[in-house]
Amino acid sequence: MKTYQHLFFDLDHTLWDYDRNVTESLSELYQIYSLQDLGIPTFEKFFESFHEVNFQLWDWYNVGKIDKHYLRKERFPRIFEHAGGNYKAIPAEFEEDFMHRTSSKPHVFPYSKEILTYLKEKYRIHVITNGFNESQAKKMKSADLDGYFELVITSETTGYKKPDPRIFHYTMDQLKTTPDVCLMIGDNPASDILGAQRAEIDQVFFNPEEKTIELTPTYEIRHLKELESLL
Ligand SMILES: [Mg+2]
């Protein structure tokens, strides 16, 4: 086992419980805006459409096919259409409300704060995220995660998204460090694991759902607590 100095954490789906936070905020929006009256028959339909459309758009965003502006402008019209609703009736503030509501949610994965407290004593810890500056900062504040990290590096600041190794190079330049003492911890094989491999940084694949993947990460864990025996 190498002696690491810097740990890079992904945020969404690794520390910040994206699914739980988003589900809560979508459910509130469904009620508040009476989406049933706009043609979306059930919350389940809305929820399922959100997932399908949003993940497609994020995939495109991650490979550089679309930008932030396009993602935000297109997201809910496409979700409404997918769910059989009248997308022309979407209130103007809907996207803004979704962003604000979601990033204000506090839920994190079990043992997130405990493990960060433990690791902070032994390592310098940072975030590398493909999210947007404003929303990631808000999420970290709402979830009380903002006191743990030295650097928070976003794709928006650097202009590079994981798995582009340049987001890791940028981070290591800031820290004046080298790949052999860094470790990436994240849930997404296509961005976190592949990106770190491209930058020759060891990786921990956080895999609570026990997905099978093609890449071979350096380490794999199912629960954040397992980091205690690794690090
Ligand atoms: Mg993630």
Side-chain angles (χ1 to χ4, degrees), residues 62-112:
N62 283 336
V63 296
K65 238 172 119 176
I66 58 168
D67 63 9
K68 168 184 165 180
H69 177 74
Y70 184 92
L71 188 144
R72 289 202 171 159
K73 192 167 79 67
E74 283 291 312
R75 174 161 52 189
F76 281 105
R78 285 174 185 241
I79 291 166
F80 270 57
E81 215 175 2
H82 188 279
N86 176 11
Y87 71 91
K88 288 184 184 140
I90 302 174
E93 69 278 18
F94 201 86
E95 168 69 30
E96 206 51 44
D97 194 348
F98 168 74
M99 289 298 297
H100 173 72
R101 206 173 278 278
T102 304
S103 53
S104 308
K105 298 285 180 197
H107 306 298
V108 294
F109 274 92
Y111 216 71
S112 289

Short mmCIF file of all heavy atoms in Angstrom, two decimals, residues 62-112:
data_model
loop_
_atom_site.label_atom_id
_atom_site.label_comp_id
_atom_site.label_asym_id
_atom_site.label_seq_id
_atom_site.Cartn_x
_atom_site.Cartn_y
_atom_site.Cartn_z
N ASN A 62 -21.01 15.52 -19.62
CA ASN A 62 -19.72 14.95 -19.22
C ASN A 62 -18.79 14.68 -20.39
O ASN A 62 -17.57 14.73 -20.23
CB ASN A 62 -19.92 13.66 -18.41
CG ASN A 62 -20.34 13.97 -16.98
OD1 ASN A 62 -20.07 15.05 -16.46
ND2 ASN A 62 -21.02 13.03 -16.34
N VAL A 63 -19.35 14.40 -21.54
CA VAL A 63 -18.47 14.18 -22.70
C VAL A 63 -18.32 15.45 -23.54
O VAL A 63 -17.74 15.42 -24.62
CB VAL A 63 -18.91 12.99 -23.59
CG1 VAL A 63 -18.83 11.68 -22.82
CG2 VAL A 63 -20.32 13.19 -24.16
N GLY A 64 -18.85 16.56 -23.03
CA GLY A 64 -18.65 17.84 -23.70
C GLY A 64 -19.58 18.10 -24.88
O GLY A 64 -19.35 19.01 -25.67
N LYS A 65 -20.63 17.31 -25.00
CA LYS A 65 -21.56 17.48 -26.12
C LYS A 65 -22.48 18.69 -25.92
O LYS A 65 -22.91 19.31 -26.89
CB LYS A 65 -22.44 16.21 -26.22
CG LYS A 65 -22.36 15.51 -27.55
CD LYS A 65 -23.09 14.18 -27.49
CE LYS A 65 -24.23 14.12 -28.47
NZ LYS A 65 -24.86 12.79 -28.47
N ILE A 66 -22.80 18.99 -24.67
CA ILE A 66 -23.66 20.15 -24.36
C ILE A 66 -23.03 20.93 -23.20
O ILE A 66 -22.20 20.39 -22.48
CB ILE A 66 -25.10 19.72 -23.96
CG1 ILE A 66 -25.08 18.78 -22.74
CG2 ILE A 66 -25.81 19.03 -25.12
CD1 ILE A 66 -26.45 18.55 -22.12
N ASP A 67 -23.45 22.20 -23.06
CA ASP A 67 -22.91 22.98 -21.94
C ASP A 67 -23.96 23.14 -20.83
O ASP A 67 -25.09 22.67 -20.94
CB ASP A 67 -22.38 24.34 -22.43
CG ASP A 67 -23.48 25.21 -23.03
OD1 ASP A 67 -24.68 24.85 -22.90
OD2 ASP A 67 -23.15 26.25 -23.62
N LYS A 68 -23.53 23.84 -19.79
CA LYS A 68 -24.37 24.03 -18.60
C LYS A 68 -25.68 24.75 -18.95
O LYS A 68 -26.75 24.38 -18.49
CB LYS A 68 -23.54 24.87 -17.62
CG LYS A 68 -24.27 25.44 -16.45
CD LYS A 68 -23.31 26.31 -15.63
CE LYS A 68 -24.07 27.17 -14.66
NZ LYS A 68 -23.19 28.03 -13.87
N HIS A 69 -25.56 25.77 -19.78
CA HIS A 69 -26.72 26.57 -20.14
C HIS A 69 -27.77 25.69 -20.84
O HIS A 69 -28.95 25.73 -20.50
CB HIS A 69 -26.28 27.72 -21.06
CG HIS A 69 -27.42 28.55 -21.54
ND1 HIS A 69 -28.08 29.45 -20.74
CD2 HIS A 69 -28.06 28.57 -22.74
CE1 HIS A 69 -29.05 30.01 -21.43
NE2 HIS A 69 -29.07 29.49 -22.65
N TYR A 70 -27.30 24.88 -21.78
CA TYR A 70 -28.19 23.99 -22.52
C TYR A 70 -28.86 22.98 -21.57
O TYR A 70 -30.06 22.75 -21.63
CB TYR A 70 -27.40 23.26 -23.61
CG TYR A 70 -28.25 22.38 -24.50
CD1 TYR A 70 -28.79 22.89 -25.68
CD2 TYR A 70 -28.51 21.05 -24.17
CE1 TYR A 70 -29.58 22.10 -26.50
CE2 TYR A 70 -29.29 20.25 -24.98
CZ TYR A 70 -29.83 20.78 -26.14
OH TYR A 70 -30.60 19.98 -26.95
N LEU A 71 -28.04 22.40 -20.69
CA LEU A 71 -28.56 21.41 -19.76
C LEU A 71 -29.70 22.00 -18.92
O LEU A 71 -30.77 21.41 -18.79
CB LEU A 71 -27.44 20.89 -18.86
CG LEU A 71 -27.79 19.72 -17.94
CD1 LEU A 71 -26.58 18.78 -17.80
CD2 LEU A 71 -28.23 20.14 -16.55
N ARG A 72 -29.47 23.19 -18.40
CA ARG A 72 -30.48 23.78 -17.52
C ARG A 72 -31.72 24.24 -18.26
O ARG A 72 -32.82 24.19 -17.73
CB ARG A 72 -29.86 24.95 -16.75
CG ARG A 72 -28.88 24.46 -15.71
CD ARG A 72 -28.70 25.49 -14.64
NE ARG A 72 -27.93 24.94 -13.56
CZ ARG A 72 -27.27 25.68 -12.68
NH1 ARG A 72 -27.28 26.98 -12.78
NH2 ARG A 72 -26.60 25.11 -11.70
N LYS A 73 -31.52 24.71 -19.48
CA LYS A 73 -32.66 25.20 -20.26
C LYS A 73 -33.52 24.04 -20.76
O LYS A 73 -34.74 24.13 -20.79
CB LYS A 73 -32.13 26.02 -21.45
CG LYS A 73 -33.21 26.82 -22.17
CD LYS A 73 -32.57 27.84 -23.11
CE LYS A 73 -32.09 27.23 -24.40
NZ LYS A 73 -33.00 26.71 -25.35
N GLU A 74 -32.88 22.97 -21.14
CA GLU A 74 -33.59 21.85 -21.79
C GLU A 74 -34.16 20.82 -20.83
O GLU A 74 -35.05 20.06 -21.18
CB GLU A 74 -32.61 21.12 -22.72
CG GLU A 74 -32.36 21.83 -24.02
CD GLU A 74 -33.59 21.82 -24.92
OE1 GLU A 74 -34.18 20.74 -25.10
OE2 GLU A 74 -33.96 22.90 -25.42
N ARG A 75 -33.58 20.76 -19.62
CA ARG A 75 -33.89 19.65 -18.72
C ARG A 75 -35.39 19.46 -18.48
O ARG A 75 -35.96 18.44 -18.85
CB ARG A 75 -33.15 19.85 -17.40
CG ARG A 75 -33.51 18.83 -16.36
CD ARG A 75 -32.49 18.72 -15.27
NE ARG A 75 -32.11 19.96 -14.62
CZ ARG A 75 -31.09 20.04 -13.75
NH1 ARG A 75 -30.40 18.97 -13.45
NH2 ARG A 75 -30.78 21.20 -13.19
N PHE A 76 -36.05 20.45 -17.88
CA PHE A 76 -37.45 20.21 -17.51
C PHE A 76 -38.41 20.16 -18.70
O PHE A 76 -39.34 19.34 -18.69
CB PHE A 76 -37.89 21.14 -16.39
CG PHE A 76 -37.40 20.62 -15.06
CD1 PHE A 76 -36.32 21.22 -14.41
CD2 PHE A 76 -37.95 19.49 -14.48
CE1 PHE A 76 -35.83 20.71 -13.21
CE2 PHE A 76 -37.47 18.97 -13.29
CZ PHE A 76 -36.41 19.58 -12.66
N PRO A 77 -38.21 20.98 -19.75
CA PRO A 77 -39.07 20.77 -20.93
C PRO A 77 -39.02 19.33 -21.43
O PRO A 77 -40.05 18.72 -21.72
CB PRO A 77 -38.49 21.74 -21.96
CG PRO A 77 -37.89 22.84 -21.14
CD PRO A 77 -37.37 22.17 -19.89
N ARG A 78 -37.82 18.75 -21.48
CA ARG A 78 -37.70 17.36 -21.95
C ARG A 78 -38.31 16.37 -20.96
O ARG A 78 -38.90 15.36 -21.36
CB ARG A 78 -36.23 16.99 -22.15
CG ARG A 78 -35.64 17.61 -23.41
CD ARG A 78 -34.15 17.33 -23.49
NE ARG A 78 -33.57 18.01 -24.62
CZ ARG A 78 -32.96 17.38 -25.64
NH1 ARG A 78 -32.85 16.08 -25.64
NH2 ARG A 78 -32.46 18.08 -26.64
N ILE A 79 -38.16 16.66 -19.68
CA ILE A 79 -38.73 15.77 -18.66
C ILE A 79 -40.26 15.80 -18.75
O ILE A 79 -40.91 14.76 -18.72
CB ILE A 79 -38.23 16.17 -17.25
CG1 ILE A 79 -36.73 15.86 -17.13
CG2 ILE A 79 -39.03 15.48 -16.16
CD1 ILE A 79 -36.05 16.51 -15.94
N PHE A 80 -40.79 17.02 -18.88
CA PHE A 80 -42.26 17.15 -18.99
C PHE A 80 -42.76 16.39 -20.21
O PHE A 80 -43.76 15.67 -20.14
CB PHE A 80 -42.65 18.62 -19.10
CG PHE A 80 -42.92 19.27 -17.76
CD1 PHE A 80 -41.94 19.27 -16.77
CD2 PHE A 80 -44.14 19.86 -17.49
CE1 PHE A 80 -42.17 19.87 -15.54
CE2 PHE A 80 -44.39 20.46 -16.26
CZ PHE A 80 -43.41 20.47 -15.29
N GLU A 81 -42.07 16.56 -21.32
CA GLU A 81 -42.49 15.91 -22.55
C GLU A 81 -42.43 14.38 -22.40
O GLU A 81 -43.36 13.67 -22.77
CB GLU A 81 -41.58 16.35 -23.70
CG GLU A 81 -42.32 16.44 -24.99
CD GLU A 81 -41.44 17.00 -26.12
OE1 GLU A 81 -40.24 17.27 -25.89
OE2 GLU A 81 -41.98 17.14 -27.22
N HIS A 82 -41.36 13.92 -21.80
CA HIS A 82 -41.16 12.49 -21.58
C HIS A 82 -42.27 11.92 -20.69
O HIS A 82 -42.71 10.79 -20.88
CB HIS A 82 -39.79 12.27 -20.95
CG HIS A 82 -39.39 10.83 -20.83
ND1 HIS A 82 -39.82 10.02 -19.82
CD2 HIS A 82 -38.60 10.06 -21.62
CE1 HIS A 82 -39.32 8.80 -19.98
NE2 HIS A 82 -38.57 8.80 -21.07
N ALA A 83 -42.71 12.73 -19.73
CA ALA A 83 -43.73 12.26 -18.77
C ALA A 83 -45.15 12.48 -19.30
O ALA A 83 -46.12 12.20 -18.59
CB ALA A 83 -43.54 12.98 -17.44
N GLY A 84 -45.26 12.99 -20.50
CA GLY A 84 -46.58 13.21 -21.09
C GLY A 84 -47.24 14.50 -20.65
O GLY A 84 -48.43 14.71 -20.86
N GLY A 85 -46.47 15.40 -20.05
CA GLY A 85 -47.03 16.67 -19.56
C GLY A 85 -46.93 17.76 -20.61
O GLY A 85 -46.29 17.59 -21.65
N ASN A 86 -47.54 18.88 -20.31
CA ASN A 86 -47.51 20.02 -21.21
C ASN A 86 -46.30 20.90 -20.88
O ASN A 86 -46.33 21.69 -19.96
CB ASN A 86 -48.82 20.82 -21.05
CG ASN A 86 -48.83 22.08 -21.89
OD1 ASN A 86 -47.96 22.29 -22.74
ND2 ASN A 86 -49.80 22.93 -21.62
N TYR A 87 -45.26 20.75 -21.68
CA TYR A 87 -44.02 21.46 -21.33
C TYR A 87 -44.12 22.96 -21.52
O TYR A 87 -43.37 23.73 -20.95
CB TYR A 87 -42.81 20.87 -22.09
CG TYR A 87 -42.79 21.17 -23.56
CD1 TYR A 87 -42.14 22.31 -24.04
CD2 TYR A 87 -43.40 20.32 -24.48
CE1 TYR A 87 -42.12 22.58 -25.39
CE2 TYR A 87 -43.39 20.58 -25.82
CZ TYR A 87 -42.75 21.71 -26.28
OH TYR A 87 -42.73 21.99 -27.61
N LYS A 88 -45.12 23.39 -22.30
CA LYS A 88 -45.30 24.84 -22.50
C LYS A 88 -45.84 25.50 -21.23
O LYS A 88 -45.77 26.71 -21.08
CB LYS A 88 -46.24 25.09 -23.67
CG LYS A 88 -45.56 24.76 -24.99
CD LYS A 88 -46.44 25.10 -26.17
CE LYS A 88 -45.76 24.65 -27.45
NZ LYS A 88 -46.68 24.07 -28.42
N ALA A 89 -46.38 24.69 -20.34
CA ALA A 89 -46.98 25.24 -19.12
C ALA A 89 -45.99 25.26 -17.95
O ALA A 89 -46.38 25.60 -16.83
CB ALA A 89 -48.20 24.42 -18.76
N ILE A 90 -44.74 24.92 -18.19
CA ILE A 90 -43.78 24.90 -17.08
C ILE A 90 -43.57 26.32 -16.55
O ILE A 90 -43.25 27.22 -17.32
CB ILE A 90 -42.40 24.34 -17.52
CG1 ILE A 90 -42.57 22.93 -18.08
CG2 ILE A 90 -41.40 24.34 -16.37
CD1 ILE A 90 -41.28 22.39 -18.68
N PRO A 91 -43.77 26.51 -15.27
CA PRO A 91 -43.53 27.84 -14.71
C PRO A 91 -42.08 28.29 -14.94
O PRO A 91 -41.17 27.45 -14.90
CB PRO A 91 -43.80 27.66 -13.21
CG PRO A 91 -44.56 26.38 -13.10
CD PRO A 91 -44.15 25.54 -14.26
N ALA A 92 -41.88 29.57 -15.19
CA ALA A 92 -40.57 30.10 -15.55
C ALA A 92 -39.51 29.80 -14.49
O ALA A 92 -38.34 29.58 -14.80
CB ALA A 92 -40.68 31.60 -15.77
N GLU A 93 -39.92 29.78 -13.23
CA GLU A 93 -38.94 29.64 -12.15
C GLU A 93 -38.67 28.17 -11.78
O GLU A 93 -37.97 27.90 -10.82
CB GLU A 93 -39.42 30.43 -10.91
CG GLU A 93 -40.64 29.87 -10.19
CD GLU A 93 -41.99 30.25 -10.81
OE1 GLU A 93 -42.02 30.66 -12.00
OE2 GLU A 93 -43.01 30.13 -10.12
N PHE A 94 -39.20 27.24 -12.55
CA PHE A 94 -39.15 25.83 -12.16
C PHE A 94 -37.72 25.30 -11.99
O PHE A 94 -37.37 24.71 -10.97
CB PHE A 94 -39.92 24.98 -13.18
CG PHE A 94 -40.35 23.65 -12.65
CD1 PHE A 94 -41.54 23.51 -11.95
CD2 PHE A 94 -39.56 22.52 -12.83
CE1 PHE A 94 -41.94 22.29 -11.45
CE2 PHE A 94 -39.96 21.29 -12.33
CZ PHE A 94 -41.15 21.18 -11.64
N GLU A 95 -36.90 25.52 -13.00
CA GLU A 95 -35.51 25.02 -12.96
C GLU A 95 -34.75 25.64 -11.78
O GLU A 95 -34.05 24.96 -11.04
CB GLU A 95 -34.82 25.34 -14.30
CG GLU A 95 -33.30 25.15 -14.33
CD GLU A 95 -32.84 23.69 -14.24
OE1 GLU A 95 -33.59 22.80 -14.70
OE2 GLU A 95 -31.73 23.45 -13.71
N GLU A 96 -34.95 26.95 -11.62
CA GLU A 96 -34.29 27.68 -10.54
C GLU A 96 -34.72 27.12 -9.17
O GLU A 96 -33.91 26.92 -8.28
CB GLU A 96 -34.71 29.16 -10.65
CG GLU A 96 -33.73 30.15 -10.08
CD GLU A 96 -32.32 29.96 -10.59
OE1 GLU A 96 -32.15 29.76 -11.81
OE2 GLU A 96 -31.39 29.98 -9.75
N ASP A 97 -36.01 26.89 -9.06
CA ASP A 97 -36.57 26.37 -7.81
C ASP A 97 -36.00 24.97 -7.53
O ASP A 97 -35.60 24.66 -6.41
CB ASP A 97 -38.10 26.33 -7.91
CG ASP A 97 -38.76 26.13 -6.55
OD1 ASP A 97 -38.05 25.80 -5.59
OD2 ASP A 97 -39.99 26.28 -6.45
N PHE A 98 -35.94 24.14 -8.57
CA PHE A 98 -35.38 22.80 -8.42
C PHE A 98 -33.92 22.88 -7.93
O PHE A 98 -33.54 22.19 -6.98
CB PHE A 98 -35.44 22.03 -9.74
CG PHE A 98 -34.63 20.76 -9.73
CD1 PHE A 98 -35.07 19.65 -9.02
CD2 PHE A 98 -33.40 20.69 -10.38
CE1 PHE A 98 -34.30 18.48 -8.97
CE2 PHE A 98 -32.63 19.53 -10.34
CZ PHE A 98 -33.08 18.43 -9.63
N MET A 99 -33.13 23.72 -8.56
CA MET A 99 -31.72 23.85 -8.20
C MET A 99 -31.57 24.32 -6.75
O MET A 99 -30.78 23.77 -6.00
CB MET A 99 -31.01 24.87 -9.12
CG MET A 99 -30.82 24.40 -10.54
SD MET A 99 -29.79 22.94 -10.66
CE MET A 99 -28.26 23.55 -10.01
N HIS A 100 -32.34 25.33 -6.42
CA HIS A 100 -32.22 25.90 -5.08
C HIS A 100 -32.68 24.89 -4.01
O HIS A 100 -31.99 24.65 -3.03
CB HIS A 100 -33.05 27.18 -4.98
CG HIS A 100 -33.10 27.71 -3.58
ND1 HIS A 100 -32.00 28.30 -2.99
CD2 HIS A 100 -34.08 27.68 -2.65
CE1 HIS A 100 -32.32 28.61 -1.75
NE2 HIS A 100 -33.57 28.26 -1.51
N ARG A 101 -33.83 24.30 -4.28
CA ARG A 101 -34.41 23.34 -3.35
C ARG A 101 -33.48 22.14 -3.13
O ARG A 101 -33.23 21.71 -2.01
CB ARG A 101 -35.73 22.86 -3.96
CG ARG A 101 -36.75 22.38 -3.03
CD ARG A 101 -38.03 22.12 -3.83
NE ARG A 101 -38.79 23.35 -4.04
CZ ARG A 101 -39.60 23.88 -3.13
NH1 ARG A 101 -39.78 23.28 -1.97
NH2 ARG A 101 -40.24 24.99 -3.37
N THR A 102 -32.97 21.61 -4.25
CA THR A 102 -32.13 20.41 -4.16
C THR A 102 -30.82 20.70 -3.44
O THR A 102 -30.42 19.96 -2.54
CB THR A 102 -31.85 19.85 -5.57
OG1 THR A 102 -33.10 19.61 -6.21
CG2 THR A 102 -31.06 18.56 -5.50
N SER A 103 -30.17 21.78 -3.83
CA SER A 103 -28.86 22.03 -3.22
C SER A 103 -28.97 22.48 -1.77
O SER A 103 -27.97 22.55 -1.06
CB SER A 103 -28.04 23.02 -4.06
OG SER A 103 -28.78 24.17 -4.30
N SER A 104 -30.20 22.75 -1.32
CA SER A 104 -30.39 23.09 0.11
C SER A 104 -30.64 21.86 0.97
O SER A 104 -30.83 21.98 2.18
CB SER A 104 -31.58 24.04 0.27
OG SER A 104 -31.43 25.14 -0.58
N LYS A 105 -30.67 20.69 0.36
CA LYS A 105 -30.97 19.46 1.13
C LYS A 105 -29.72 18.95 1.86
O LYS A 105 -28.62 19.03 1.32
CB LYS A 105 -31.47 18.36 0.20
CG LYS A 105 -32.76 18.68 -0.52
CD LYS A 105 -33.94 18.58 0.42
CE LYS A 105 -35.22 18.93 -0.32
NZ LYS A 105 -36.31 19.23 0.62
N PRO A 106 -29.92 18.40 3.04
CA PRO A 106 -28.76 18.07 3.89
C PRO A 106 -28.28 16.62 3.88
O PRO A 106 -27.30 16.30 4.55
CB PRO A 106 -29.30 18.38 5.27
CG PRO A 106 -30.74 17.99 5.18
CD PRO A 106 -31.18 18.29 3.76
N HIS A 107 -28.96 15.71 3.14
CA HIS A 107 -28.67 14.29 3.36
C HIS A 107 -27.34 13.84 2.75
O HIS A 107 -27.05 14.11 1.59
CB HIS A 107 -29.80 13.43 2.80
CG HIS A 107 -31.14 13.82 3.34
ND1 HIS A 107 -31.45 13.74 4.68
CD2 HIS A 107 -32.22 14.35 2.73
CE1 HIS A 107 -32.68 14.19 4.87
NE2 HIS A 107 -33.16 14.57 3.70
N VAL A 108 -26.58 13.14 3.57
CA VAL A 108 -25.29 12.58 3.11
C VAL A 108 -25.32 11.07 3.29
O VAL A 108 -26.19 10.54 3.99
CB VAL A 108 -24.09 13.18 3.88
CG1 VAL A 108 -23.93 14.66 3.58
CG2 VAL A 108 -24.22 12.95 5.39
N PHE A 109 -24.37 10.37 2.69
CA PHE A 109 -24.30 8.92 2.85
C PHE A 109 -23.92 8.57 4.29
O PHE A 109 -23.22 9.34 4.95
CB PHE A 109 -23.26 8.32 1.89
CG PHE A 109 -23.83 8.04 0.54
CD1 PHE A 109 -23.77 8.98 -0.47
CD2 PHE A 109 -24.46 6.83 0.28
CE1 PHE A 109 -24.32 8.73 -1.71
CE2 PHE A 109 -25.02 6.56 -0.96
CZ PHE A 109 -24.95 7.51 -1.96
N PRO A 110 -24.38 7.40 4.75
CA PRO A 110 -24.03 7.00 6.11
C PRO A 110 -22.52 7.03 6.32
O PRO A 110 -21.77 6.59 5.44
CB PRO A 110 -24.55 5.55 6.20
CG PRO A 110 -25.57 5.42 5.11
CD PRO A 110 -25.20 6.41 4.05
N TYR A 111 -22.13 7.57 7.43
CA TYR A 111 -20.73 7.59 7.87
C TYR A 111 -19.85 8.62 7.15
O TYR A 111 -18.64 8.65 7.31
CB TYR A 111 -20.10 6.19 7.76
CG TYR A 111 -19.11 5.91 8.88
CD1 TYR A 111 -19.54 5.71 10.18
CD2 TYR A 111 -17.75 5.84 8.62
CE1 TYR A 111 -18.64 5.48 11.21
CE2 TYR A 111 -16.82 5.61 9.64
CZ TYR A 111 -17.28 5.43 10.93
OH TYR A 111 -16.38 5.20 11.93
N SER A 112 -20.48 9.51 6.32
CA SER A 112 -19.70 10.52 5.59
C SER A 112 -18.88 11.40 6.53
O SER A 112 -17.67 11.56 6.36
CB SER A 112 -20.61 11.45 4.79
OG SER A 112 -21.18 10.77 3.71
#
